[in-house]
């Protein structure tokens, strides 16, 4: 699997999205492992 690098802005958007929606759905959508999150 290719390693993904996120910018600071992308990380903040993902965190805000996780707060508004379900965390599990958000990390699946973006392909993030739970340990990474």
């Amino acid at each position: 699997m290719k390693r993904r690098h996120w910018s600071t802005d992308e990380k903040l958007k993902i965190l805000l999205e996780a707060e508004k929606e379900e965390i599990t759905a958000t990390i699946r959508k973006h392909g993030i492992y739970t340990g990474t999150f």
Side-chain angles (χ1 to χ4, degrees):
M1 178 180 281
K2 187 174 182 181
R3 190 171 186 150
R4 172 81 200 262
H5 297 280
W6 288 281
S7 69
T8 303
D9 290 336
E10 289 174 315
K11 290 176 187 178
L12 289 173
K13 287 178 185 177
I14 291 171
L15 288 172
L16 290 173
E17 181 181 332
E19 284 183 354
K20 293 178 184 177
E21 300 175 14
E22 186 179 335
I23 292 173
T24 306
T26 303
I27 61 175
R28 281 186 189 149
K29 176 181 172 184
H30 295 284
I32 303 169
Y33 292 110
T34 54
T36 304
F37 183 77

